[in-house]
Amino acid sequence: MRLIRNLIGFVLVVALALMVLFPAAWTLMGSFKHLKDIVTTEAKFIFTPTLENYATIFSSVDIYKGVVNSLIISGVATLLGVIFGLPAAYALSKFKTKRTPDIMFFILSLRFMPPVAIAIPWISVWLNLNLFDTRVAVIVTYLITSISTIAWMAVAAFDRVSPQIEEAAYVDGYGQYEIFWRVSLPVAFKSLLGAVAYAFVVVWNELMIGLILTSSRSTTLPVVAAGYTSMGKEIPWGVLNAATVILAIPPILVLGLIAQFMSSVFKHRGSGVKG
Amino acid sequence: MEFIHIKDFRKIYDDNVAVLNNFNLDVRENEFVVLLGPSGCGKSTLLRMIAGLENITAGDLYIAGKRVNDARPRERNIAMVFQNYALYPHMNVYDNIAFGLRRMKMSEGEMQRRVEDASGLLGISEFHRKRPDQLSGGQQQRVAIARAIVKTPQVFLFDEPLSNLDAKLRNSLRGEIKKLHIKLNTTTIYVTHDQLEAMTLADRIVLMRNGKIEQAGTPDEIYNKPESMFTAGFIGTPQINFFPVEIQGEGNRPVAVGDGLRMPLPPESFNLNIGQKVVIGIRPSHIEMVGRNDGGAVATRVDMLENMGEETLVSFTLGSTPGVFLVLSDRAPNRSEEIFIRFMPNKLHVFVHDSSVSLRRKIG
C-alpha cells in the first residue's frame, strides 16, 4: 500500500515538475535554434545550435536600452520600496492599534488594482508634468507596487520576531531605533530578503504599466520583448526565445545568488569573538 | 531597609480591566522574593512593571531610594531572565552575553573578562562560538542567566525561567540559581507558578491571587501557618486535605464533628465558637495510621494505594469527602483494609467555612 502511495506521489511530482520545467526548457532550447528548426511541423530535440539569436539581441539597440532601463527602474523602485516599506512594516507589526487591520487591508488592496487602472490616470499626470516616457515617471509609478509588496510581506516577517527578544534588548539598554537596526532587522533578515526579491521580480516582470507609460526612451525589457510579438507571421521566434531567457535571468539570480550572498554577509557581521 | 519599594501599584489595561489595584510590597536588599500564584494573578505584570516593560498606571516604584516610575530599564539597573530565554538568534553565545555590555561602552578587555567570568559561573564557556539554536533548552537558559549577571545589576528579575525545561533540568538549574544567589547575593524577584520552586528558592514567598497578596512570608510560615484555604491548598504536594465540620462542645472542649469524623480540637491554638461551621485542613504527611481507636482516631477504609517509592499515598473517604495520607511504603496497608487514622493535633489547620480565613490564634 505504502509503496503504491509513494509511487503515485512520485509520478505526480514528476508530472508537475515537467509541466513547469518543460516550457522553460523548450524556450531555452529555442533560443539556440535556427528559425527553420523552430518552424517545423514536428518538435525537434536534435538540432544544430546557434548563437545567432543572442547575437541579434546584443546588437539590437532596443534590447540593450531595455536591459539598462529595466535594471535601473526595477533596482531603484525596489530600493525605495525597501527604504519606505520596511520601516512602515516594522511600525505596523510592533505598534498594533485598532486601525492596523484597516491599514493592512489598504496596503493589500493596492495590489488588487488592475495595472491598467493604475497606469491610465498616471498618463495625464506625467504628461502634465512633462515627465512622460522618463525613468523617473516609471519608477514613481512602480513604487505603488514595490512599497506595498514589501510592506505587506515584511509585516509578516517582523511578526515572527519574538517580542521577548526585543524586550531583552530593551532591558539590555537599547532604544527603539537601535533595537530595530541591531536586533529586529537582522533577525528578520532572511524572510525580509524574500520579500524584497519578490518585489524586485514583480517590478522586473511588469509589462502593462511599462507599456502604457513609455514610448521609446524608457521602455523596459518586457515592453521591448513584447514588441517582437506584434510582427504577425514574421515573428522571429528564436530571438524572442533568447529575449525571454535574458529576461528570466535576473529573477533567477535574485532568488538564488543574492539570497546566499546577503545572508552570509550578515552572518559574519554580528560576531566579534576574539579567538 | 527596603531596597525595592512598591507603593499603591495599579495596572489597568486599555480594556479597563484592573490587573493590580493598590498593591504594596517592600523587598529588602539581598532578599530573594518569589512571586507565586496561579496564571492570571498579576505576578508577571508586576515583574514587568518593575522591569520597565509595562507602564505603571498609578502608584510609585522606588529602587535603591530613587523613584523610577518613568525610568527606562537601563536606568533602573536591573537585568531580566525570560521564560523562553529570549536569546538573540543572530548572535553567538559570546555576543549574546556581551550585547548589554557593548551598550555600556565598556573596554574590549574588561568586557571579555566579565563575559568569561559569567560564563565560567554558568559552565558555558565552551559554547561561546555556538549559536543559540545549537544549544539545548537548559544551555540556552544558562546563557540567558549569564547575560543577566554579566551586567552586575542591582536587581535580578526572573520571569518563570524554568517553565520551559523538563523536570530533571528544572531541578538542577533551580539548584544553580540558588547557589548563584548565595554567591552574588543580588536582590532578586522571581516569578513562578510552581510552588516547589517557590519553597526551595525563596527567602520570602509572596503568594498572589487576583492581583492581591494572599499571604507573604517565609516558606516555613506559608507552609505551616497558611492564613487561608487558598494558601493551604496552593502550597504542598500532595495537596492538603480539607474536611468540612461543625464545632460542638463536649464539656468545655471544642470537638469537630463531621461526616464520619469526630475529633477534639486544641482550643489554645484556634478561636472557635460552638455551632460554628469550619473546614479542617491537614496535610497528607500529618495523618498517621494507628493500630486501634484510642479516642482521637477515626475509622476508614483504604480506597486506593499509590506507591511513590519510599512512601505510599493512601486514599480514603470520610463520609463523602475524599482524603489522602502518606505512609512509609513498608508499613502501607492493603487495599480495602479497615484502618484507623489520626490527625496530628499540632499540625491541624482550621478555616472559617464561608470566608476560608484561618482561625489560628496569632501569637504575640
Side-chain angles (χ1 to χ4, degrees):
Chain A
M1 257 330 274
R2 195 175 166 162
L3 192 76
I4 294 170
R5 241 184 320 182
N6 284 346
L7 200 70
I8 293 172
F10 181 75
V11 169
L12 273 176
V13 168
V14 169
L16 279 173
L18 275 178
M19 274 162 72
V20 175
L21 291 178
F22 183 74
W26 192 246
T27 305
L28 188 64
M29 272 201 279
S31 73
F32 292 106
K33 282 179 185 172
H34 292 285
L35 192 59
K36 65 174 166 55
D37 288 327
I38 299 174
V39 192
T40 54
T41 44
E42 57 212 53
K44 262 195 168 173
F45 288 91
I46 316 281
F47 54 91
T48 327
T50 172
L51 287 173
E52 196 179 89
N53 299 320
Y54 288 95
T56 312
I57 281 180
F58 288 114
S59 61
S60 149
V61 180
D62 277 354
I63 299 236
Y64 174 77
K65 209 166 61 183
V67 169
V68 172
N69 280 335
S70 264
L71 281 176
I72 291 174
I73 288 169
S74 305
V76 174
T78 308
L79 185 70
L80 291 174
V82 167
I83 290 170
F84 293 111
L86 287 191
Y90 187 71
L92 281 168
S93 166
K94 297 299 171 184
F95 305 96
K96 290 208 164 34
T97 68
K98 279 194 308 226
R99 289 262 153 266
T100 306
D102 298 337
I103 298 171
M104 290 297 289
F105 181 77
F106 170 72
I107 292 173
L108 186 64
S109 72
L110 291 175
R111 301 285 295 114
F112 291 163
M113 288 220 282
V116 179
I118 297 177
I120 289 173
W122 281 104
I123 297 177
S124 54
V125 172
W126 297 128
L127 280 173
N128 279 329
L129 292 174
N130 218 5
L131 286 170
F132 185 77
D133 195 22
T134 60
R135 286 175 192 153
V136 173
V138 183
I139 287 169
V140 172
T141 313
Y142 277 162
L143 283 183
I144 298 170
T145 304
S146 68
I147 294 177
S148 64
T149 304
I150 288 173
W152 173 261
M153 292 177 76
V155 168
F158 284 127
D159 279 348
R160 280 199 295 274
V161 178
S162 136
Q164 276 77 37
I165 291 173
E166 297 184 322
E167 284 177 348
Y170 189 44
V171 171
D172 260 347
Y174 291 89
Q176 197 60 61
Y177 287 98
E178 289 167 305
I179 292 173
F180 174 75
W181 282 111
R182 305 187 61 157
V183 178
S184 315
L185 198 58
V187 169
F189 186 74
K190 273 186 190 163
S191 333
L192 291 176
L193 206 64
V196 173
Y198 179 72
F200 178 83
V201 171
V202 166
V203 172
W204 176 271
N205 291 344
E206 204 288 325
L207 171 66
M208 189 53 77
I209 292 173
L211 200 60
I212 294 174
L213 292 186
T214 62
S215 56
S216 61
R217 276 180 300 161
S218 309
T219 46
T220 54
L221 197 52
V223 177
V224 177
Y228 285 98
T229 61
S230 54
M231 295 178 172
K233 282 192 175 164
E234 302 304 311
I235 296 175
W237 287 110
V239 177
L240 194 57
N241 280 336
T244 311
V245 170
I246 303 239
L247 192 60
I249 286 173
I252 291 165
L253 284 184
V254 161
L255 290 174
L257 278 181
I258 297 182
Q260 271 179 7
F261 168 70
M262 296 296 258
S263 83
S264 70
V265 164
F266 263 78
K267 221 174 236 169
H268 293 300
R269 243 191 55 176
S271 52
V273 177
K274 302 279 177 298
Chain B
M1 193 203 101
E2 79 268 9
F3 190 68
I4 301 171
H5 179 50
I6 295 164
K7 190 164 163 270
D8 296 331
F9 252 28
R10 182 200 284 258
K11 179 69 191 181
I12 296 172
Y13 283 110
D14 298 338
D15 46 7
N16 276 324
V17 177
V19 181
L20 295 172
N21 220 342
N22 295 321
F23 190 96
N24 291 283
L25 179 69
D26 287 332
V27 178
R28 291 186 299 275
E29 190 156 12
N30 310 333
E31 196 177 16
F32 197 120
V33 167
V34 173
L35 303 177
L36 176 69
S39 55
C41 73
K43 56 191 191 301
S44 280
T45 305
L46 177 62
L47 192 80
R48 292 169 57 82
M49 287 163 84
I50 298 168
L53 293 171
E54 296 274 355
N55 291 325
I56 298 166
T57 311
D60 298 296
L61 172 64
Y62 293 88
I63 296 178
K66 229 174 76 187
R67 188 176 181 277
V68 291
N69 275 43
D70 304 314
R72 295 166 132 212
R74 70 160 173 259
E75 293 150 354
R76 301 185 186 200
N77 203 357
I78 49 121
M80 184 156 168
V81 177
F82 295 81
Q83 177 176 350
N84 59 4
Y85 326 131
L87 298 177
Y88 310 119
H90 60 303
M91 299 181 194
N92 64 24
V93 167
Y94 182 97
D95 290 323
N96 261 283
I97 300 172
F99 193 59
L101 302 180
R102 292 228 159 86
R103 177 64 190 71
M104 296 173 178
K105 307 265 184 280
M106 184 174 285
S107 78
E108 201 65 33
E110 167 74 358
M111 189 163 72
Q112 202 171 343
R113 190 185 60 75
R114 286 172 72 161
V115 173
E116 294 291 346
D117 285 355
S119 320
L121 268 179
L122 273 304
I124 49 167
S125 304
E126 56 186 301
F127 303 136
H128 275 176
R129 287 168 167 283
K130 290 205 172 180
R131 282 167 171 270
D133 59 10
Q134 295 171 305
L135 302 178
S136 71
Q139 290 163 343
Q140 289 190 41
Q141 196 57 298
R142 279 163 203 272
V143 175
I145 294 170
R147 181 174 69 180
I149 68 173
V150 80
K151 292 192 288 182
T152 56
Q154 286 184 308
V155 181
F156 284 139
L157 304 173
F158 289 89
D159 191 3
E160 308 226 13
L162 307 181
S163 299
N164 285 10
L165 302 174
D166 64 49
K168 203 173 153 196
L169 259 171
R170 203 180 304 156
N171 288 343
S172 73
L173 205 51
R174 192 183 68 214
E176 285 192 48
I177 290 175
K178 178 119 187 168
K179 267 187 231 154
L180 219 52
H181 183 251
I182 291 167
K183 195 173 167 100
L184 302 172
N185 220 1
T186 307
T187 311
T188 302
I189 303 180
Y190 184 108
V191 164
T192 182
H193 62 266
D194 183 319
Q195 52 100 17
L196 186 64
E197 275 173 39
M199 291 294 289
T200 49
L201 287 171
D203 292 326
R204 192 153 56 104
I205 294 175
V206 175
L207 181 61
M208 292 176 65
R209 182 193 189 190
N210 298 333
K212 291 195 176 68
I213 296 181
E214 181 79 9
Q215 187 174 348
T218 62
D220 184 61
E221 282 168 347
I222 296 268
Y223 186 78
N224 290 314
K225 290 177 181 163
E227 287 165 7
S228 67
M229 280 173 70
F230 177 80
T231 306
F234 201 85
I235 303 277
T237 42
Q239 226 191 352
I240 193 168
N241 301 295
F242 291 119
F243 299 102
V245 295
E246 192 184 298
I247 303 296
Q248 294 182 359
E250 195 171 84
N252 53 3
R253 277 186 71 84
V255 175
V257 180
D259 213 0
L261 178 113
R262 182 182 186 86
M263 67 177 65
L265 293 176
E268 63 281 5
S269 306
F270 304 102
N271 293 308
L272 302 171
N273 296 311
I274 305 297
Q276 195 177 12
K277 283 198 185 315
V278 300
V279 175
I280 286 183
I282 184 83
R283 296 199 184 275
S285 47
H286 298 150
I287 298 177
E288 51 189 356
M289 224 166 46
V290 289
R292 60 192 171 79
N293 195 347
D294 58 355
V298 290
T300 184
R301 183 195 293 272
V302 176
D303 290 336
M304 188 171 76
L305 296 161
E306 287 165 85
N307 191 334
M308 297 163 65
E310 190 69 15
E311 288 177 305
T312 293
L313 191 65
V314 184
S315 307
F316 61 92
T317 313
L318 287 184
S320 57
T321 314
V324 290
F325 70 91
L326 285 166
V327 63
L328 286 174
S329 289
D330 52 5
R331 297 175 55 191
N334 298 316
R335 199 158 74 82
S336 303
E337 190 182 331
E338 300 273 356
I339 53 167
F340 293 105
I341 53 174
R342 199 176 76 94
F343 297 1
M344 298 179 189
N346 57 340
K347 298 292 188 184
L348 276 176
H349 306 279
V350 183
F351 306 96
V352 178
H353 189 276
D354 300 323
S355 64
S356 95
V357 175
S358 174
L359 287 166
R360 183 181 301 280
R361 284 184 202 273
K362 297 240 159 55
I363 302 154

